[in-house]
Amino acid sequence: MPFTVKDKVLLSSGIEMPVIANGSWAPPTGNARAEVRDWTLTALKAGYRHIDTALGYGTEKSVGLAIKESGLKREDVFITTKLPYTDHSRVQDSFNESLTNLGVDYIDLYLVHWPQCIASEDADGTLKLASSITFVEVWAQMEKIFEGKKAKAIGVSNFSIKNLEILLKSAKIVPAVNQVELHPYLAQNELKQYCKDKGIIIEAYTPSGYSKVRSDPVIQNIAKKLEATPNQVILAWHLFKETVIVPKSANEERQRENLNLPVLSKEDVEQIDALDHGERICNKPDQNGLVWGWTMEQLGW
Ligand SMILES: NC(=O)c1ccc[n+]([C@@H]2O[C@H](COP(=O)([O-])OP(=O)(O)OC[C@H]3O[C@@H](n4cnc5c(N)ncnc54)[C@H](OP(=O)(O)O)[C@@H]3O)[C@@H](O)[C@H]2O)c1
């Protein structure tokens, strides 16, 4: 059954998660991270009940303020945040920092942001890997947080089948969610099926594929036919395929647009399915073939 924007999915930990979130990544420039407060507030007013943030985005405080200002009850907003790759040796402290930043006493979904552990980042952006700690050890710390009941579900992000296989060998708790880049040019069908078989919910970040996918003639033609925008068509494709999505808009009108999706036909969906060619658009390898310090082989991508 295709999802509708008002649906929720049941996570393996027993809680329900709204199938559409508004993201909250913002660049570390000017006032951008403080402005997340304003546009998270318009998102909550528009009807979003799931906000995706991360300690690494520097936007948790803004998200927390917006939720308070919205007047909504804490339990009416689902908050996802993430353990940074620089904090793998201080999981509990980093989690407490997130609670303080958000001004809440529990997190709905806490994710390991990346499998790799980064020891430090030079001024020029060069990352130094920390080899002494593995994501298997980090996951054991995540399990302790879940047992402490201050995270209602725990999961991972940017994990491949290869790394999930390693994790699951020693995990006591199966990750509830795997948040990955997923859009029409990167449909992740194999990973989706693997996660489904293990009871892990796949969540799509960069669900639009940005203007690159929005401007694809197939998307443009379907949008024209349905009198919808390309972004609406792409988000509708995700929901048709029962994928939880984390789009981001800082614009009130586009936030509302992303909640008002057209109904696609089976033929529309098949045409969009055919666009998949495994292209990463958000997190792609740099000139050294690395994504945040790891090779594609290490990532299992
Ligand atoms: N786990 C991870 O490693 C990871 C990585 C990347 C992202 N994320 C999460 O996923 C969230 C979303 O990622 P993303 O920003 O890459 O996703 P996205 O929603 O695919 O792309 C956002 C871009 O699309 C534009 N947009 C949104 N709605 C639109 C519409 N209806 N028409 C035209 N343009 C539209 C936005 O501009 P406006 O804001 O101006 O509308 C923005 O430039 C992030 O904020 C973050 O929370 C997680």
Side-chain angles (χ1 to χ4, degrees), residues 118-143:
I118 304 295
S120 64
E121 191 167 359
D122 291 348
D124 68 354
T126 310
L127 302 176
K128 279 204 185 71
L129 289 172
S131 52
S132 58
I133 183 153
T134 66
F135 59 72
V136 168
E137 292 162 320
V138 171
W139 188 251
Q141 297 300 310
M142 294 289 286
E143 290 174 331

mmCIF file with all atom_site columns, all heavy atoms in Angstrom, residues 118-143:
data_model
loop_
_atom_site.group_PDB
_atom_site.id
_atom_site.type_symbol
_atom_site.label_atom_id
_atom_site.label_alt_id
_atom_site.label_comp_id
_atom_site.label_asym_id
_atom_site.label_entity_id
_atom_site.label_seq_id
_atom_site.pdbx_PDB_ins_code
_atom_site.Cartn_x
_atom_site.Cartn_y
_atom_site.Cartn_z
_atom_site.occupancy
_atom_site.B_iso_or_equiv
_atom_site.pdbx_formal_charge
_atom_site.auth_seq_id
_atom_site.auth_comp_id
_atom_site.auth_asym_id
_atom_site.auth_atom_id
_atom_site.pdbx_PDB_model_num
ATOM 1   N N   . ILE A 1 118 ? 36.055 9.417  13.077 1.00 0.00 ? 118 ILE A N   1
ATOM 2   C CA  . ILE A 1 118 ? 37.036 10.452 12.727 1.00 0.00 ? 118 ILE A CA  1
ATOM 3   C C   . ILE A 1 118 ? 37.643 11.003 14.015 1.00 0.00 ? 118 ILE A C   1
ATOM 4   O O   . ILE A 1 118 ? 36.920 11.415 14.930 1.00 0.00 ? 118 ILE A O   1
ATOM 5   C CB  . ILE A 1 118 ? 36.350 11.589 11.930 1.00 0.00 ? 118 ILE A CB  1
ATOM 6   C CG1 . ILE A 1 118 ? 35.645 11.047 10.672 1.00 0.00 ? 118 ILE A CG1 1
ATOM 7   C CG2 . ILE A 1 118 ? 37.343 12.700 11.596 1.00 0.00 ? 118 ILE A CG2 1
ATOM 8   C CD1 . ILE A 1 118 ? 36.541 10.461 9.615  1.00 0.00 ? 118 ILE A CD1 1
ATOM 9   N N   . ALA A 1 119 ? 38.994 10.992 14.074 1.00 0.00 ? 119 ALA A N   1
ATOM 10  C CA  . ALA A 1 119 ? 39.669 11.481 15.289 1.00 0.00 ? 119 ALA A CA  1
ATOM 11  C C   . ALA A 1 119 ? 39.727 13.003 15.298 1.00 0.00 ? 119 ALA A C   1
ATOM 12  O O   . ALA A 1 119 ? 39.513 13.633 16.331 1.00 0.00 ? 119 ALA A O   1
ATOM 13  C CB  . ALA A 1 119 ? 41.082 10.899 15.353 1.00 0.00 ? 119 ALA A CB  1
ATOM 14  N N   . SER A 1 120 ? 40.030 13.586 14.147 1.00 0.00 ? 120 SER A N   1
ATOM 15  C CA  . SER A 1 120 ? 40.117 15.051 14.110 1.00 0.00 ? 120 SER A CA  1
ATOM 16  C C   . SER A 1 120 ? 39.959 15.558 12.688 1.00 0.00 ? 120 SER A C   1
ATOM 17  O O   . SER A 1 120 ? 40.109 14.813 11.716 1.00 0.00 ? 120 SER A O   1
ATOM 18  C CB  . SER A 1 120 ? 41.464 15.507 14.668 1.00 0.00 ? 120 SER A CB  1
ATOM 19  O OG  . SER A 1 120 ? 42.487 15.027 13.826 1.00 0.00 ? 120 SER A OG  1
ATOM 20  N N   . GLU A 1 121 ? 39.674 16.840 12.604 1.00 0.00 ? 121 GLU A N   1
ATOM 21  C CA  . GLU A 1 121 ? 39.478 17.481 11.307 1.00 0.00 ? 121 GLU A CA  1
ATOM 22  C C   . GLU A 1 121 ? 40.393 18.701 11.259 1.00 0.00 ? 121 GLU A C   1
ATOM 23  O O   . GLU A 1 121 ? 40.300 19.585 12.121 1.00 0.00 ? 121 GLU A O   1
ATOM 24  C CB  . GLU A 1 121 ? 38.000 17.893 11.199 1.00 0.00 ? 121 GLU A CB  1
ATOM 25  C CG  . GLU A 1 121 ? 37.618 18.323 9.823  1.00 0.00 ? 121 GLU A CG  1
ATOM 26  C CD  . GLU A 1 121 ? 36.086 18.413 9.652  1.00 0.00 ? 121 GLU A CD  1
ATOM 27  O OE1 . GLU A 1 121 ? 35.350 18.129 10.600 1.00 0.00 ? 121 GLU A OE1 1
ATOM 28  O OE2 . GLU A 1 121 ? 35.671 18.791 8.554  1.00 0.00 ? 121 GLU A OE2 1
ATOM 29  N N   . ASP A 1 122 ? 41.322 18.762 10.291 1.00 0.00 ? 122 ASP A N   1
ATOM 30  C CA  . ASP A 1 122 ? 42.227 19.916 10.168 1.00 0.00 ? 122 ASP A CA  1
ATOM 31  C C   . ASP A 1 122 ? 41.457 21.129 9.652  1.00 0.00 ? 122 ASP A C   1
ATOM 32  O O   . ASP A 1 122 ? 40.357 20.990 9.124  1.00 0.00 ? 122 ASP A O   1
ATOM 33  C CB  . ASP A 1 122 ? 43.374 19.608 9.187  1.00 0.00 ? 122 ASP A CB  1
ATOM 34  C CG  . ASP A 1 122 ? 44.315 18.570 9.772  1.00 0.00 ? 122 ASP A CG  1
ATOM 35  O OD1 . ASP A 1 122 ? 44.190 18.292 10.976 1.00 0.00 ? 122 ASP A OD1 1
ATOM 36  O OD2 . ASP A 1 122 ? 45.150 18.037 9.014  1.00 0.00 ? 122 ASP A OD2 1
ATOM 37  N N   . ALA A 1 123 ? 42.115 22.299 9.792  1.00 0.00 ? 123 ALA A N   1
ATOM 38  C CA  . ALA A 1 123 ? 41.472 23.540 9.341  1.00 0.00 ? 123 ALA A CA  1
ATOM 39  C C   . ALA A 1 123 ? 41.119 23.468 7.858  1.00 0.00 ? 123 ALA A C   1
ATOM 40  O O   . ALA A 1 123 ? 40.122 24.040 7.418  1.00 0.00 ? 123 ALA A O   1
ATOM 41  C CB  . ALA A 1 123 ? 42.396 24.714 9.616  1.00 0.00 ? 123 ALA A CB  1
ATOM 42  N N   . ASP A 1 124 ? 41.929 22.745 7.081  1.00 0.00 ? 124 ASP A N   1
ATOM 43  C CA  . ASP A 1 124 ? 41.645 22.659 5.638  1.00 0.00 ? 124 ASP A CA  1
ATOM 44  C C   . ASP A 1 124 ? 40.617 21.574 5.308  1.00 0.00 ? 124 ASP A C   1
ATOM 45  O O   . ASP A 1 124 ? 40.363 21.274 4.146  1.00 0.00 ? 124 ASP A O   1
ATOM 46  C CB  . ASP A 1 124 ? 42.942 22.412 4.848  1.00 0.00 ? 124 ASP A CB  1
ATOM 47  C CG  . ASP A 1 124 ? 43.532 21.021 5.118  1.00 0.00 ? 124 ASP A CG  1
ATOM 48  O OD1 . ASP A 1 124 ? 43.004 20.292 5.994  1.00 0.00 ? 124 ASP A OD1 1
ATOM 49  O OD2 . ASP A 1 124 ? 44.522 20.662 4.452  1.00 0.00 ? 124 ASP A OD2 1
ATOM 50  N N   . GLY A 1 125 ? 40.042 20.977 6.359  1.00 0.00 ? 125 GLY A N   1
ATOM 51  C CA  . GLY A 1 125 ? 38.985 19.990 6.138  1.00 0.00 ? 125 GLY A CA  1
ATOM 52  C C   . GLY A 1 125 ? 39.495 18.550 6.057  1.00 0.00 ? 125 GLY A C   1
ATOM 53  O O   . GLY A 1 125 ? 38.714 17.616 5.919  1.00 0.00 ? 125 GLY A O   1
ATOM 54  N N   . THR A 1 126 ? 40.843 18.368 6.144  1.00 0.00 ? 126 THR A N   1
ATOM 55  C CA  . THR A 1 126 ? 41.384 16.998 6.074  1.00 0.00 ? 126 THR A CA  1
ATOM 56  C C   . THR A 1 126 ? 40.991 16.222 7.327  1.00 0.00 ? 126 THR A C   1
ATOM 57  O O   . THR A 1 126 ? 41.145 16.709 8.448  1.00 0.00 ? 126 THR A O   1
ATOM 58  C CB  . THR A 1 126 ? 42.932 17.031 5.964  1.00 0.00 ? 126 THR A CB  1
ATOM 59  O OG1 . THR A 1 126 ? 43.275 17.932 4.933  1.00 0.00 ? 126 THR A OG1 1
ATOM 60  C CG2 . THR A 1 126 ? 43.498 15.645 5.675  1.00 0.00 ? 126 THR A CG2 1
ATOM 61  N N   . LEU A 1 127 ? 40.488 15.025 7.112  1.00 0.00 ? 127 LEU A N   1
ATOM 62  C CA  . LEU A 1 127 ? 40.018 14.217 8.238  1.00 0.00 ? 127 LEU A CA  1
ATOM 63  C C   . LEU A 1 127 ? 41.074 13.196 8.624  1.00 0.00 ? 127 LEU A C   1
ATOM 64  O O   . LEU A 1 127 ? 41.696 12.576 7.773  1.00 0.00 ? 127 LEU A O   1
ATOM 65  C CB  . LEU A 1 127 ? 38.728 13.482 7.853  1.00 0.00 ? 127 LEU A CB  1
ATOM 66  C CG  . LEU A 1 127 ? 37.554 14.338 7.397  1.00 0.00 ? 127 LEU A CG  1
ATOM 67  C CD1 . LEU A 1 127 ? 36.401 13.456 6.955  1.00 0.00 ? 127 LEU A CD1 1
ATOM 68  C CD2 . LEU A 1 127 ? 37.099 15.257 8.519  1.00 0.00 ? 127 LEU A CD2 1
ATOM 69  N N   . LYS A 1 128 ? 41.278 13.022 9.948  1.00 0.00 ? 128 LYS A N   1
ATOM 70  C CA  . LYS A 1 128 ? 42.167 11.960 10.424 1.00 0.00 ? 128 LYS A CA  1
ATOM 71  C C   . LYS A 1 128 ? 41.300 10.851 10.996 1.00 0.00 ? 128 LYS A C   1
ATOM 72  O O   . LYS A 1 128 ? 40.515 11.081 11.927 1.00 0.00 ? 128 LYS A O   1
ATOM 73  C CB  . LYS A 1 128 ? 43.091 12.505 11.518 1.00 0.00 ? 128 LYS A CB  1
ATOM 74  C CG  . LYS A 1 128 ? 44.266 13.257 10.970 1.00 0.00 ? 128 LYS A CG  1
ATOM 75  C CD  . LYS A 1 128 ? 45.427 13.263 11.970 1.00 0.00 ? 128 LYS A CD  1
ATOM 76  C CE  . LYS A 1 128 ? 46.554 14.125 11.445 1.00 0.00 ? 128 LYS A CE  1
ATOM 77  N NZ  . LYS A 1 128 ? 46.214 15.568 11.476 1.00 0.00 ? 128 LYS A NZ  1
ATOM 78  N N   . LEU A 1 129 ? 41.472 9.661  10.434 1.00 0.00 ? 129 LEU A N   1
ATOM 79  C CA  . LEU A 1 129 ? 40.651 8.542  10.893 1.00 0.00 ? 129 LEU A CA  1
ATOM 80  C C   . LEU A 1 129 ? 41.146 8.032  12.238 1.00 0.00 ? 129 LEU A C   1
ATOM 81  O O   . LEU A 1 129 ? 42.342 8.047  12.511 1.00 0.00 ? 129 LEU A O   1
ATOM 82  C CB  . LEU A 1 129 ? 40.740 7.388  9.888  1.00 0.00 ? 129 LEU A CB  1
ATOM 83  C CG  . LEU A 1 129 ? 40.043 7.609  8.547  1.00 0.00 ? 129 LEU A CG  1
ATOM 84  C CD1 . LEU A 1 129 ? 40.390 6.484  7.604  1.00 0.00 ? 129 LEU A CD1 1
ATOM 85  C CD2 . LEU A 1 129 ? 38.535 7.669  8.746  1.00 0.00 ? 129 LEU A CD2 1
ATOM 86  N N   . ALA A 1 130 ? 40.231 7.570  13.065 1.00 0.00 ? 130 ALA A N   1
ATOM 87  C CA  . ALA A 1 130 ? 40.592 6.908  14.313 1.00 0.00 ? 130 ALA A CA  1
ATOM 88  C C   . ALA A 1 130 ? 40.396 5.421  14.073 1.00 0.00 ? 130 ALA A C   1
ATOM 89  O O   . ALA A 1 130 ? 39.288 4.978  13.822 1.00 0.00 ? 130 ALA A O   1
ATOM 90  C CB  . ALA A 1 130 ? 39.702 7.405  15.441 1.00 0.00 ? 130 ALA A CB  1
ATOM 91  N N   . SER A 1 131 ? 41.489 4.670  14.117 1.00 0.00 ? 131 SER A N   1
ATOM 92  C CA  . SER A 1 131 ? 41.372 3.250  13.763 1.00 0.00 ? 131 SER A CA  1
ATOM 93  C C   . SER A 1 131 ? 41.055 2.384  14.972 1.00 0.00 ? 131 SER A C   1
ATOM 94  O O   . SER A 1 131 ? 40.714 1.221  14.847 1.00 0.00 ? 131 SER A O   1
ATOM 95  C CB  . SER A 1 131 ? 42.664 2.780  13.104 1.00 0.00 ? 131 SER A CB  1
ATOM 96  O OG  . SER A 1 131 ? 43.733 3.123  13.947 1.00 0.00 ? 131 SER A OG  1
ATOM 97  N N   . SER A 1 132 ? 41.186 2.972  16.172 1.00 0.00 ? 132 SER A N   1
ATOM 98  C CA  . SER A 1 132 ? 41.093 2.135  17.376 1.00 0.00 ? 132 SER A CA  1
ATOM 99  C C   . SER A 1 132 ? 39.658 1.763  17.747 1.00 0.00 ? 132 SER A C   1
ATOM 100 O O   . SER A 1 132 ? 39.439 0.865  18.532 1.00 0.00 ? 132 SER A O   1
ATOM 101 C CB  . SER A 1 132 ? 41.741 2.868  18.543 1.00 0.00 ? 132 SER A CB  1
ATOM 102 O OG  . SER A 1 132 ? 41.082 4.096  18.703 1.00 0.00 ? 132 SER A OG  1
ATOM 103 N N   . ILE A 1 133 ? 38.692 2.461  17.184 1.00 0.00 ? 133 ILE A N   1
ATOM 104 C CA  . ILE A 1 133 ? 37.307 2.182  17.592 1.00 0.00 ? 133 ILE A CA  1
ATOM 105 C C   . ILE A 1 133 ? 36.480 1.788  16.361 1.00 0.00 ? 133 ILE A C   1
ATOM 106 O O   . ILE A 1 133 ? 36.578 2.425  15.316 1.00 0.00 ? 133 ILE A O   1
ATOM 107 C CB  . ILE A 1 133 ? 36.705 3.370  18.372 1.00 0.00 ? 133 ILE A CB  1
ATOM 108 C CG1 . ILE A 1 133 ? 35.303 3.035  18.860 1.00 0.00 ? 133 ILE A CG1 1
ATOM 109 C CG2 . ILE A 1 133 ? 36.699 4.649  17.612 1.00 0.00 ? 133 ILE A CG2 1
ATOM 110 C CD1 . ILE A 1 133 ? 34.932 3.809  20.094 1.00 0.00 ? 133 ILE A CD1 1
ATOM 111 N N   . THR A 1 134 ? 35.701 0.735  16.529 1.00 0.00 ? 134 THR A N   1
ATOM 112 C CA  . THR A 1 134 ? 34.913 0.242  15.392 1.00 0.00 ? 134 THR A CA  1
ATOM 113 C C   . THR A 1 134 ? 33.437 0.581  15.600 1.00 0.00 ? 134 THR A C   1
ATOM 114 O O   . THR A 1 134 ? 32.994 0.818  16.734 1.00 0.00 ? 134 THR A O   1
ATOM 115 C CB  . THR A 1 134 ? 35.029 -1.290 15.275 1.00 0.00 ? 134 THR A CB  1
ATOM 116 O OG1 . THR A 1 134 ? 34.412 -1.860 16.438 1.00 0.00 ? 134 THR A OG1 1
ATOM 117 C CG2 . THR A 1 134 ? 36.481 -1.740 15.177 1.00 0.00 ? 134 THR A CG2 1
ATOM 118 N N   . PHE A 1 135 ? 32.678 0.534  14.508 1.00 0.00 ? 135 PHE A N   1
ATOM 119 C CA  . PHE A 1 135 ? 31.236 0.835  14.662 1.00 0.00 ? 135 PHE A CA  1
ATOM 120 C C   . PHE A 1 135 ? 30.520 -0.256 15.448 1.00 0.00 ? 135 PHE A C   1
ATOM 121 O O   . PHE A 1 135 ? 29.453 -0.026 16.002 1.00 0.00 ? 135 PHE A O   1
ATOM 122 C CB  . PHE A 1 135 ? 30.576 1.130  13.313 1.00 0.00 ? 135 PHE A CB  1
ATOM 123 C CG  . PHE A 1 135 ? 30.638 0.051  12.274 1.00 0.00 ? 135 PHE A CG  1
ATOM 124 C CD1 . PHE A 1 135 ? 29.887 -1.111 12.385 1.00 0.00 ? 135 PHE A CD1 1
ATOM 125 C CD2 . PHE A 1 135 ? 31.445 0.216  11.153 1.00 0.00 ? 135 PHE A CD2 1
ATOM 126 C CE1 . PHE A 1 135 ? 29.940 -2.093 11.413 1.00 0.00 ? 135 PHE A CE1 1
ATOM 127 C CE2 . PHE A 1 135 ? 31.504 -0.766 10.173 1.00 0.00 ? 135 PHE A CE2 1
ATOM 128 C CZ  . PHE A 1 135 ? 30.750 -1.933 10.307 1.00 0.00 ? 135 PHE A CZ  1
ATOM 129 N N   . VAL A 1 136 ? 31.139 -1.438 15.533 1.00 0.00 ? 136 VAL A N   1
ATOM 130 C CA  . VAL A 1 136 ? 30.550 -2.515 16.350 1.00 0.00 ? 136 VAL A CA  1
ATOM 131 C C   . VAL A 1 136 ? 30.587 -2.096 17.831 1.00 0.00 ? 136 VAL A C   1
ATOM 132 O O   . VAL A 1 136 ? 29.608 -2.251 18.572 1.00 0.00 ? 136 VAL A O   1
ATOM 133 C CB  . VAL A 1 136 ? 31.312 -3.850 16.117 1.00 0.00 ? 136 VAL A CB  1
ATOM 134 C CG1 . VAL A 1 136 ? 30.933 -4.889 17.156 1.00 0.00 ? 136 VAL A CG1 1
ATOM 135 C CG2 . VAL A 1 136 ? 31.027 -4.362 14.709 1.00 0.00 ? 136 VAL A CG2 1
ATOM 136 N N   . GLU A 1 137 ? 31.727 -1.509 18.237 1.00 0.00 ? 137 GLU A N   1
ATOM 137 C CA  . GLU A 1 137 ? 31.844 -1.029 19.631 1.00 0.00 ? 137 GLU A CA  1
ATOM 138 C C   . GLU A 1 137 ? 30.896 0.152  19.870 1.00 0.00 ? 137 GLU A C   1
ATOM 139 O O   . GLU A 1 137 ? 30.287 0.266  20.930 1.00 0.00 ? 137 GLU A O   1
ATOM 140 C CB  . GLU A 1 137 ? 33.288 -0.607 19.909 1.00 0.00 ? 137 GLU A CB  1
ATOM 141 C CG  . GLU A 1 137 ? 34.256 -1.785 19.928 1.00 0.00 ? 137 GLU A CG  1
ATOM 142 C CD  . GLU A 1 137 ? 35.722 -1.364 19.776 1.00 0.00 ? 137 GLU A CD  1
ATOM 143 O OE1 . GLU A 1 137 ? 36.012 -0.456 18.970 1.00 0.00 ? 137 GLU A OE1 1
ATOM 144 O OE2 . GLU A 1 137 ? 36.553 -1.961 20.451 1.00 0.00 ? 137 GLU A OE2 1
ATOM 145 N N   . VAL A 1 138 ? 30.787 0.996  18.881 1.00 0.00 ? 138 VAL A N   1
ATOM 146 C CA  . VAL A 1 138 ? 29.887 2.157  18.993 1.00 0.00 ? 138 VAL A CA  1
ATOM 147 C C   . VAL A 1 138 ? 28.445 1.671  19.148 1.00 0.00 ? 138 VAL A C   1
ATOM 148 O O   . VAL A 1 138 ? 27.683 2.191  19.978 1.00 0.00 ? 138 VAL A O   1
ATOM 149 C CB  . VAL A 1 138 ? 30.030 3.080  17.756 1.00 0.00 ? 138 VAL A CB  1
ATOM 150 C CG1 . VAL A 1 138 ? 28.949 4.152  17.752 1.00 0.00 ? 138 VAL A CG1 1
ATOM 151 C CG2 . VAL A 1 138 ? 31.400 3.710  17.730 1.00 0.00 ? 138 VAL A CG2 1
ATOM 152 N N   . TRP A 1 139 ? 28.101 0.635  18.396 1.00 0.00 ? 139 TRP A N   1
ATOM 153 C CA  . TRP A 1 139 ? 26.724 0.123  18.468 1.00 0.00 ? 139 TRP A CA  1
ATOM 154 C C   . TRP A 1 139 ? 26.420 -0.417 19.878 1.00 0.00 ? 139 TRP A C   1
ATOM 155 O O   . TRP A 1 139 ? 25.307 -0.237 20.398 1.00 0.00 ? 139 TRP A O   1
ATOM 156 C CB  . TRP A 1 139 ? 26.459 -0.921 17.384 1.00 0.00 ? 139 TRP A CB  1
ATOM 157 C CG  . TRP A 1 139 ? 25.005 -1.288 17.337 1.00 0.00 ? 139 TRP A CG  1
ATOM 158 C CD1 . TRP A 1 139 ? 24.424 -2.455 17.728 1.00 0.00 ? 139 TRP A CD1 1
ATOM 159 C CD2 . TRP A 1 139 ? 23.928 -0.420 16.945 1.00 0.00 ? 139 TRP A CD2 1
ATOM 160 N NE1 . TRP A 1 139 ? 23.058 -2.387 17.589 1.00 0.00 ? 139 TRP A NE1 1
ATOM 161 C CE2 . TRP A 1 139 ? 22.726 -1.148 17.116 1.00 0.00 ? 139 TRP A CE2 1
ATOM 162 C CE3 . TRP A 1 139 ? 23.863 0.891  16.471 1.00 0.00 ? 139 TRP A CE3 1
ATOM 163 C CZ2 . TRP A 1 139 ? 21.470 -0.601 16.827 1.00 0.00 ? 139 TRP A CZ2 1
ATOM 164 C CZ3 . TRP A 1 139 ? 22.611 1.423  16.180 1.00 0.00 ? 139 TRP A CZ3 1
ATOM 165 C CH2 . TRP A 1 139 ? 21.445 0.686  16.360 1.00 0.00 ? 139 TRP A CH2 1
ATOM 166 N N   . ALA A 1 140 ? 27.411 -1.040 20.502 1.00 0.00 ? 140 ALA A N   1
ATOM 167 C CA  . ALA A 1 140 ? 27.198 -1.548 21.873 1.00 0.00 ? 140 ALA A CA  1
ATOM 168 C C   . ALA A 1 140 ? 26.875 -0.379 22.817 1.00 0.00 ? 140 ALA A C   1
ATOM 169 O O   . ALA A 1 140 ? 26.040 -0.510 23.727 1.00 0.00 ? 140 ALA A O   1
ATOM 170 C CB  . ALA A 1 140 ? 28.427 -2.316 22.340 1.00 0.00 ? 140 ALA A CB  1
ATOM 171 N N   . GLN A 1 141 ? 27.511 0.768  22.575 1.00 0.00 ? 141 GLN A N   1
ATOM 172 C CA  . GLN A 1 141 ? 27.220 1.969  23.386 1.00 0.00 ? 141 GLN A CA  1
ATOM 173 C C   . GLN A 1 141 ? 25.814 2.504  23.066 1.00 0.00 ? 141 GLN A C   1
ATOM 174 O O   . GLN A 1 141 ? 25.104 2.981  23.960 1.00 0.00 ? 141 GLN A O   1
ATOM 175 C CB  . GLN A 1 141 ? 28.262 3.068  23.120 1.00 0.00 ? 141 GLN A CB  1
ATOM 176 C CG  . GLN A 1 141 ? 29.680 2.704  23.503 1.00 0.00 ? 141 GLN A CG  1
ATOM 177 C CD  . GLN A 1 141 ? 29.790 2.390  24.981 1.00 0.00 ? 141 GLN A CD  1
ATOM 178 O OE1 . GLN A 1 141 ? 29.330 3.153  25.836 1.00 0.00 ? 141 GLN A OE1 1
ATOM 179 N NE2 . GLN A 1 141 ? 30.373 1.238  25.292 1.00 0.00 ? 141 GLN A NE2 1
ATOM 180 N N   . MET A 1 142 ? 25.433 2.416  21.825 1.00 0.00 ? 142 MET A N   1
ATOM 181 C CA  . MET A 1 142 ? 24.084 2.856  21.417 1.00 0.00 ? 142 MET A CA  1
ATOM 182 C C   . MET A 1 142 ? 23.034 1.988  22.118 1.00 0.00 ? 142 MET A C   1
ATOM 183 O O   . MET A 1 142 ? 21.988 2.481  22.560 1.00 0.00 ? 142 MET A O   1
ATOM 184 C CB  . MET A 1 142 ? 23.911 2.740  19.901 1.00 0.00 ? 142 MET A CB  1
ATOM 185 C CG  . MET A 1 142 ? 24.779 3.670  19.078 1.00 0.00 ? 142 MET A CG  1
ATOM 186 S SD  . MET A 1 142 ? 24.292 5.407  19.159 1.00 0.00 ? 142 MET A SD  1
ATOM 187 C CE  . MET A 1 142 ? 22.820 5.425  18.148 1.00 0.00 ? 142 MET A CE  1
ATOM 188 N N   . GLU A 1 143 ? 23.321 0.710  22.221 1.00 0.00 ? 143 GLU A N   1
ATOM 189 C CA  . GLU A 1 143 ? 22.384 -0.204 22.884 1.00 0.00 ? 143 GLU A CA  1
ATOM 190 C C   . GLU A 1 143 ? 22.208 0.171  24.346 1.00 0.00 ? 143 GLU A C   1
ATOM 191 O O   . GLU A 1 143 ? 21.100 0.099  24.892 1.00 0.00 ? 143 GLU A O   1
ATOM 192 C CB  . GLU A 1 143 ? 22.880 -1.651 22.735 1.00 0.00 ? 143 GLU A CB  1
ATOM 193 C CG  . GLU A 1 143 ? 22.757 -2.139 21.303 1.00 0.00 ? 143 GLU A CG  1
ATOM 194 C CD  . GLU A 1 143 ? 23.356 -3.517 21.044 1.00 0.00 ? 143 GLU A CD  1
ATOM 195 O OE1 . GLU A 1 143 ? 24.308 -3.887 21.749 1.00 0.00 ? 143 GLU A OE1 1
ATOM 196 O OE2 . GLU A 1 143 ? 22.893 -4.202 20.136 1.00 0.00 ? 143 GLU A OE2 1
#
